[in-house]
């Protein structure tokens, strides 16, 4: 479905459910124990309801933030892993590698191709100060490297 069709479907099916939920909150809130967990949850939800109900207006809106959660998950997992690197220098090196590989992912660069190319060039860049190491960063490498047109290995 395109965005417009999705919005129409949501307007027809989801919005009536959301309105019924809003009315239920309004009706149940006075019965909830003031200051209790249910009262706090209802107040919190009701205060966000206007923003939540916009979901049906635009088919581009997502009903959850799973995409963002999945994008930051490697950072959270890596943070725990850094505790077991052995020493501060090893943890710093691991963080640098995670960052560079994350940049590959964000730039749609095949990490194996990038690492192979960078490892073959790093000595030259290290001995020639006219060359800028920043050119080897994934987003810059992609712009200037002919390997960008080779299809990624899907394995």
């Amino acid at each position: 479905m395109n965005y417009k069709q999705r919005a129409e479907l949501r307007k027809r099916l989801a919005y009536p459910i959301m309105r019924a939920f809003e009315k239920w909150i309004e009706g149940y809130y006075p019965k909830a124990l003031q200051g209790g967990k249910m009262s706090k949850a209802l107040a919190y939800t009701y205060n966000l309801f206007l923003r939540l109900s916009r979901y049906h207006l635009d088919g581009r809106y997502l009903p959850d933030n799973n995409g963002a959660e999945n994008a930051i998950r490697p950072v959270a997992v890596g943070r725990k892993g850094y505790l077991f690197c052995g020493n501060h220098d090893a943890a710093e090196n691991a963080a640098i590698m995670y960052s560079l590989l994350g940049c590959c992912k964000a730039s749609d660069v095949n990490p194996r191709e990038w690492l192979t190319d960078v490892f073959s060039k790093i000595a030259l860049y290290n001995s020639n100060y006219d060359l800028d190491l920043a050119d080897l960063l994934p987003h810059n490498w992609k712009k200037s490297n002919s390997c960008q047109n080779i299809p990624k290995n899907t394995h």
Side-chain angles (χ1 to χ4, degrees), residues 22-41:
E22 181 182 27
K23 287 180 182 183
W24 178 84
I25 291 173
E26 291 170 349
Y28 193 84
Y29 183 74
K31 300 173 192 172
L33 180 63
Q34 286 299 77
K37 289 183 180 184
M38 186 64 161
S39 175
K40 288 179 183 177

PDB file of all heavy atoms in Angstrom, residues 22-41:
ATOM      1  N   GLU A  22      -9.911   6.215  23.950  1.00  0.00           N
ATOM      2  CA  GLU A  22      -9.875   7.539  24.589  1.00  0.00           C
ATOM      3  C   GLU A  22     -11.102   7.728  25.483  1.00  0.00           C
ATOM      4  O   GLU A  22     -10.985   8.207  26.616  1.00  0.00           O
ATOM      5  CB  GLU A  22      -9.823   8.625  23.523  1.00  0.00           C
ATOM      6  CG  GLU A  22      -9.761  10.028  24.110  1.00  0.00           C
ATOM      7  CD  GLU A  22      -9.770  11.110  23.049  1.00  0.00           C
ATOM      8  OE1 GLU A  22     -10.307  10.875  21.945  1.00  0.00           O
ATOM      9  OE2 GLU A  22      -9.244  12.199  23.340  1.00  0.00           O
ATOM     10  N   LYS A  23     -12.258   7.328  25.001  1.00  0.00           N
ATOM     11  CA  LYS A  23     -13.479   7.451  25.810  1.00  0.00           C
ATOM     12  C   LYS A  23     -13.408   6.554  27.043  1.00  0.00           C
ATOM     13  O   LYS A  23     -13.875   6.934  28.122  1.00  0.00           O
ATOM     14  CB  LYS A  23     -14.710   7.105  24.965  1.00  0.00           C
ATOM     15  CG  LYS A  23     -15.028   8.188  23.963  1.00  0.00           C
ATOM     16  CD  LYS A  23     -16.248   7.835  23.146  1.00  0.00           C
ATOM     17  CE  LYS A  23     -16.492   8.944  22.126  1.00  0.00           C
ATOM     18  NZ  LYS A  23     -17.688   8.716  21.350  1.00  0.00           N
ATOM     19  N   TRP A  24     -12.833   5.370  26.902  1.00  0.00           N
ATOM     20  CA  TRP A  24     -12.663   4.481  28.044  1.00  0.00           C
ATOM     21  C   TRP A  24     -11.764   5.124  29.100  1.00  0.00           C
ATOM     22  O   TRP A  24     -12.062   5.084  30.283  1.00  0.00           O
ATOM     23  CB  TRP A  24     -12.079   3.130  27.595  1.00  0.00           C
ATOM     24  CG  TRP A  24     -11.844   2.209  28.745  1.00  0.00           C
ATOM     25  CD1 TRP A  24     -12.755   1.382  29.339  1.00  0.00           C
ATOM     26  CD2 TRP A  24     -10.621   2.043  29.472  1.00  0.00           C
ATOM     27  NE1 TRP A  24     -12.173   0.704  30.381  1.00  0.00           N
ATOM     28  CE2 TRP A  24     -10.857   1.094  30.490  1.00  0.00           C
ATOM     29  CE3 TRP A  24      -9.346   2.606  29.364  1.00  0.00           C
ATOM     30  CZ2 TRP A  24      -9.872   0.696  31.383  1.00  0.00           C
ATOM     31  CZ3 TRP A  24      -8.369   2.202  30.251  1.00  0.00           C
ATOM     32  CH2 TRP A  24      -8.647   1.261  31.257  1.00  0.00           C
ATOM     33  N   ILE A  25     -10.664   5.754  28.650  1.00  0.00           N
ATOM     34  CA  ILE A  25      -9.759   6.451  29.583  1.00  0.00           C
ATOM     35  C   ILE A  25     -10.536   7.536  30.329  1.00  0.00           C
ATOM     36  O   ILE A  25     -10.437   7.646  31.551  1.00  0.00           O
ATOM     37  CB  ILE A  25      -8.544   7.057  28.848  1.00  0.00           C
ATOM     38  CG1 ILE A  25      -7.619   5.952  28.324  1.00  0.00           C
ATOM     39  CG2 ILE A  25      -7.763   7.995  29.768  1.00  0.00           C
ATOM     40  CD1 ILE A  25      -6.490   6.467  27.441  1.00  0.00           C
ATOM     41  N   GLU A  26     -11.273   8.339  29.581  1.00  0.00           N
ATOM     42  CA  GLU A  26     -12.047   9.430  30.203  1.00  0.00           C
ATOM     43  C   GLU A  26     -13.056   8.893  31.215  1.00  0.00           C
ATOM     44  O   GLU A  26     -13.287   9.505  32.247  1.00  0.00           O
ATOM     45  CB  GLU A  26     -12.766  10.250  29.131  1.00  0.00           C
ATOM     46  CG  GLU A  26     -11.831  11.062  28.269  1.00  0.00           C
ATOM     47  CD  GLU A  26     -12.526  11.691  27.059  1.00  0.00           C
ATOM     48  OE1 GLU A  26     -13.703  11.336  26.770  1.00  0.00           O
ATOM     49  OE2 GLU A  26     -11.891  12.511  26.391  1.00  0.00           O
ATOM     50  N   GLY A  27     -13.656   7.761  30.915  1.00  0.00           N
ATOM     51  CA  GLY A  27     -14.648   7.193  31.822  1.00  0.00           C
ATOM     52  C   GLY A  27     -14.033   6.484  33.018  1.00  0.00           C
ATOM     53  O   GLY A  27     -14.594   6.498  34.121  1.00  0.00           O
ATOM     54  N   TYR A  28     -12.876   5.862  32.832  1.00  0.00           N
ATOM     55  CA  TYR A  28     -12.280   5.079  33.907  1.00  0.00           C
ATOM     56  C   TYR A  28     -11.434   5.931  34.857  1.00  0.00           C
ATOM     57  O   TYR A  28     -11.324   5.617  36.041  1.00  0.00           O
ATOM     58  CB  TYR A  28     -11.413   3.949  33.328  1.00  0.00           C
ATOM     59  CG  TYR A  28     -11.022   2.930  34.359  1.00  0.00           C
ATOM     60  CD1 TYR A  28     -11.879   1.889  34.696  1.00  0.00           C
ATOM     61  CD2 TYR A  28      -9.811   3.026  35.031  1.00  0.00           C
ATOM     62  CE1 TYR A  28     -11.546   0.961  35.660  1.00  0.00           C
ATOM     63  CE2 TYR A  28      -9.460   2.107  35.996  1.00  0.00           C
ATOM     64  CZ  TYR A  28     -10.328   1.071  36.301  1.00  0.00           C
ATOM     65  OH  TYR A  28      -9.986   0.160  37.257  1.00  0.00           O
ATOM     66  N   TYR A  29     -10.856   7.021  34.331  1.00  0.00           N
ATOM     67  CA  TYR A  29      -9.943   7.838  35.142  1.00  0.00           C
ATOM     68  C   TYR A  29     -10.558   8.290  36.474  1.00  0.00           C
ATOM     69  O   TYR A  29      -9.914   8.183  37.516  1.00  0.00           O
ATOM     70  CB  TYR A  29      -9.436   9.041  34.341  1.00  0.00           C
ATOM     71  CG  TYR A  29      -8.434   9.876  35.098  1.00  0.00           C
ATOM     72  CD1 TYR A  29      -7.135   9.429  35.285  1.00  0.00           C
ATOM     73  CD2 TYR A  29      -8.797  11.101  35.655  1.00  0.00           C
ATOM     74  CE1 TYR A  29      -6.211  10.183  35.996  1.00  0.00           C
ATOM     75  CE2 TYR A  29      -7.892  11.857  36.364  1.00  0.00           C
ATOM     76  CZ  TYR A  29      -6.596  11.397  36.533  1.00  0.00           C
ATOM     77  OH  TYR A  29      -5.689  12.140  37.238  1.00  0.00           O
ATOM     78  N   PRO A  30     -11.812   8.786  36.495  1.00  0.00           N
ATOM     79  CA  PRO A  30     -12.394   9.220  37.779  1.00  0.00           C
ATOM     80  C   PRO A  30     -12.549   8.063  38.785  1.00  0.00           C
ATOM     81  O   PRO A  30     -12.571   8.291  39.987  1.00  0.00           O
ATOM     82  CB  PRO A  30     -13.764   9.780  37.400  1.00  0.00           C
ATOM     83  CG  PRO A  30     -13.699  10.060  35.953  1.00  0.00           C
ATOM     84  CD  PRO A  30     -12.698   9.108  35.372  1.00  0.00           C
ATOM     85  N   LYS A  31     -12.632   6.838  38.312  1.00  0.00           N
ATOM     86  CA  LYS A  31     -12.789   5.679  39.183  1.00  0.00           C
ATOM     87  C   LYS A  31     -11.462   5.171  39.736  1.00  0.00           C
ATOM     88  O   LYS A  31     -11.439   4.437  40.716  1.00  0.00           O
ATOM     89  CB  LYS A  31     -13.457   4.528  38.420  1.00  0.00           C
ATOM     90  CG  LYS A  31     -14.829   4.861  37.889  1.00  0.00           C
ATOM     91  CD  LYS A  31     -15.324   3.717  37.009  1.00  0.00           C
ATOM     92  CE  LYS A  31     -16.550   4.143  36.227  1.00  0.00           C
ATOM     93  NZ  LYS A  31     -16.932   3.140  35.229  1.00  0.00           N
ATOM     94  N   ALA A  32     -10.359   5.554  39.087  1.00  0.00           N
ATOM     95  CA  ALA A  32      -9.034   5.075  39.516  1.00  0.00           C
ATOM     96  C   ALA A  32      -8.602   5.783  40.795  1.00  0.00           C
ATOM     97  O   ALA A  32      -8.943   6.953  41.026  1.00  0.00           O
ATOM     98  CB  ALA A  32      -8.009   5.320  38.407  1.00  0.00           C
ATOM     99  N   LEU A  33      -7.871   5.079  41.613  1.00  0.00           N
ATOM    100  CA  LEU A  33      -7.361   5.628  42.868  1.00  0.00           C
ATOM    101  C   LEU A  33      -6.384   6.762  42.563  1.00  0.00           C
ATOM    102  O   LEU A  33      -5.368   6.552  41.879  1.00  0.00           O
ATOM    103  CB  LEU A  33      -6.665   4.520  43.672  1.00  0.00           C
ATOM    104  CG  LEU A  33      -6.070   4.897  45.019  1.00  0.00           C
ATOM    105  CD1 LEU A  33      -7.181   5.345  45.969  1.00  0.00           C
ATOM    106  CD2 LEU A  33      -5.316   3.714  45.593  1.00  0.00           C
ATOM    107  N   GLN A  34      -6.699   7.973  43.013  1.00  0.00           N
ATOM    108  CA  GLN A  34      -5.842   9.129  42.759  1.00  0.00           C
ATOM    109  C   GLN A  34      -4.435   8.876  43.303  1.00  0.00           C
ATOM    110  O   GLN A  34      -4.279   8.455  44.444  1.00  0.00           O
ATOM    111  CB  GLN A  34      -6.420  10.396  43.382  1.00  0.00           C
ATOM    112  CG  GLN A  34      -7.621  10.946  42.636  1.00  0.00           C
ATOM    113  CD  GLN A  34      -7.298  11.333  41.205  1.00  0.00           C
ATOM    114  OE1 GLN A  34      -7.183  10.491  40.333  1.00  0.00           O
ATOM    115  NE2 GLN A  34      -7.160  12.616  40.966  1.00  0.00           N
ATOM    116  N   GLY A  35      -3.443   9.136  42.480  1.00  0.00           N
ATOM    117  CA  GLY A  35      -2.050   8.940  42.881  1.00  0.00           C
ATOM    118  C   GLY A  35      -1.581   7.501  42.713  1.00  0.00           C
ATOM    119  O   GLY A  35      -0.404   7.213  42.864  1.00  0.00           O
ATOM    120  N   GLY A  36      -2.492   6.601  42.392  1.00  0.00           N
ATOM    121  CA  GLY A  36      -2.141   5.201  42.182  1.00  0.00           C
ATOM    122  C   GLY A  36      -1.509   4.985  40.818  1.00  0.00           C
ATOM    123  O   GLY A  36      -1.497   5.868  39.956  1.00  0.00           O
ATOM    124  N   LYS A  37      -0.988   3.778  40.607  1.00  0.00           N
ATOM    125  CA  LYS A  37      -0.312   3.475  39.342  1.00  0.00           C
ATOM    126  C   LYS A  37      -1.260   3.571  38.151  1.00  0.00           C
ATOM    127  O   LYS A  37      -0.890   4.082  37.100  1.00  0.00           O
ATOM    128  CB  LYS A  37       0.321   2.083  39.410  1.00  0.00           C
ATOM    129  CG  LYS A  37       1.524   2.032  40.328  1.00  0.00           C
ATOM    130  CD  LYS A  37       2.181   0.665  40.314  1.00  0.00           C
ATOM    131  CE  LYS A  37       3.380   0.678  41.258  1.00  0.00           C
ATOM    132  NZ  LYS A  37       4.115  -0.569  41.232  1.00  0.00           N
ATOM    133  N   MET A  38      -2.472   3.087  38.304  1.00  0.00           N
ATOM    134  CA  MET A  38      -3.442   3.139  37.209  1.00  0.00           C
ATOM    135  C   MET A  38      -3.790   4.583  36.873  1.00  0.00           C
ATOM    136  O   MET A  38      -3.854   4.960  35.694  1.00  0.00           O
ATOM    137  CB  MET A  38      -4.704   2.351  37.578  1.00  0.00           C
ATOM    138  CG  MET A  38      -5.682   2.233  36.452  1.00  0.00           C
ATOM    139  SD  MET A  38      -4.941   1.283  35.113  1.00  0.00           S
ATOM    140  CE  MET A  38      -6.384   0.814  34.222  1.00  0.00           C
ATOM    141  N   SER A  39      -3.996   5.392  37.880  1.00  0.00           N
ATOM    142  CA  SER A  39      -4.302   6.801  37.671  1.00  0.00           C
ATOM    143  C   SER A  39      -3.163   7.495  36.920  1.00  0.00           C
ATOM    144  O   SER A  39      -3.408   8.253  35.984  1.00  0.00           O
ATOM    145  CB  SER A  39      -4.543   7.476  39.019  1.00  0.00           C
ATOM    146  OG  SER A  39      -4.719   8.865  38.849  1.00  0.00           O
ATOM    147  N   LYS A  40      -1.937   7.212  37.324  1.00  0.00           N
ATOM    148  CA  LYS A  40      -0.767   7.815  36.658  1.00  0.00           C
ATOM    149  C   LYS A  40      -0.661   7.344  35.216  1.00  0.00           C
ATOM    150  O   LYS A  40      -0.367   8.131  34.302  1.00  0.00           O
ATOM    151  CB  LYS A  40       0.503   7.472  37.424  1.00  0.00           C
ATOM    152  CG  LYS A  40       0.614   8.204  38.744  1.00  0.00           C
ATOM    153  CD  LYS A  40       1.871   7.802  39.479  1.00  0.00           C
ATOM    154  CE  LYS A  40       1.932   8.483  40.839  1.00  0.00           C
ATOM    155  NZ  LYS A  40       3.096   8.077  41.610  1.00  0.00           N
ATOM    156  N   ALA A  41      -0.894   6.047  34.989  1.00  0.00           N
ATOM    157  CA  ALA A  41      -0.817   5.503  33.625  1.00  0.00           C
ATOM    158  C   ALA A  41      -1.887   6.118  32.734  1.00  0.00           C
ATOM    159  O   ALA A  41      -1.623   6.475  31.580  1.00  0.00           O
ATOM    160  CB  ALA A  41      -0.948   3.983  33.659  1.00  0.00           C
TER     161      ALA A  41
END
